[in-house]
Amino acid sequence: MEQIKRLPDAELEIMKIIWEANEEVTSAYIMKQLKGVKTWGNTTVLNFLARLVERGFIQSERVGKSNVYTAIMDEKCYLQNESKSFLERLHGNSVKSLIAALYNGHTITEQDLKELKDFIDENTREG
């Protein structure tokens, strides 16, 4: 698997908006989505967008007087890479260690465990 650069939280937040839109977006669209969530100004958002273009996560195209931004990096691919990296770095690639940490820290509920068991059962039948 190709090594994908990890995004800082702020840039990841911008990417989530672009992925969710699932189409070309403008900085104005992103600002609208961030309203009430972040207090970033337009210049800050434009700087994040420029960095995302530079890193190869999005592409920018001039349309009229605005730039439109489109995701190049697939969300599913990024999330899989981040999840694998997290598991390797913090839990030595042990899913059991991750689940135990969540369970012992009371972060994971009985309902979560049931959903996990159902997921495993469903995927072992198919696999």
Side-chain angles (χ1 to χ4, degrees):
M1 175 186 283
E2 170 190 338
Q3 184 62 24
I4 299 169
K5 289 187 180 178
R6 187 163 189 243
L7 290 174
D9 290 346
E11 291 174 28
L12 180 57
E13 199 148 343
I14 300 290
M15 280 306 301
K16 286 180 179 179
I17 291 169
I18 295 169
W19 283 325
E20 189 175 296
N22 203 26
E23 63 183 6
E24 296 178 336
V25 297
T26 62
S27 61
Y29 173 85
I30 293 169
M31 289 296 295
K32 184 177 177 183
Q33 300 306 306
L34 291 170
K35 189 174 184 173
V37 178
K38 294 288 181 186
T39 57
W40 296 333
N42 196 46
T43 303
T44 302
V45 170
L46 290 172
N47 285 333
F48 289 144
L49 289 167
R51 282 192 232 154
L52 288 166
V53 168
E54 193 176 294
R55 292 177 185 204
F57 280 84
I58 62 175
Q59 65 184 11
S60 174
E61 183 181 341
R62 191 83 173 159
V63 175
K65 293 183 180 183
S66 300
N67 284 338
V68 293
Y69 302 92
T70 310
I72 297 172
M73 171 62 62
D74 179 66
E75 181 180 20
K76 184 177 178 181
C77 182
Y78 182 78
L79 293 177
Q80 286 173 340
N81 188 72
E82 272 298 285
S83 298
K84 184 177 185 317
S85 174
F86 174 82
L87 190 62
E88 287 172 354
R89 284 179 310 169
L90 297 179
H91 294 282
N93 235 5
S94 170
V95 174
K96 180 181 176 184
S97 170
L98 171 63
I99 299 299
L102 293 172
Y103 188 75
N104 293 332
H106 306 289
T107 304
I108 195 168
T109 66
E110 292 298 326
Q111 178 62 33
D112 293 329
L113 289 173
K114 182 186 177 324
E115 288 175 13
L116 181 58
K117 182 181 181 321
D118 292 347
F119 175 81
I120 291 168
D121 289 347
E122 184 178 309
N123 284 283
T124 52
R125 278 193 297 263
E126 292 176 4

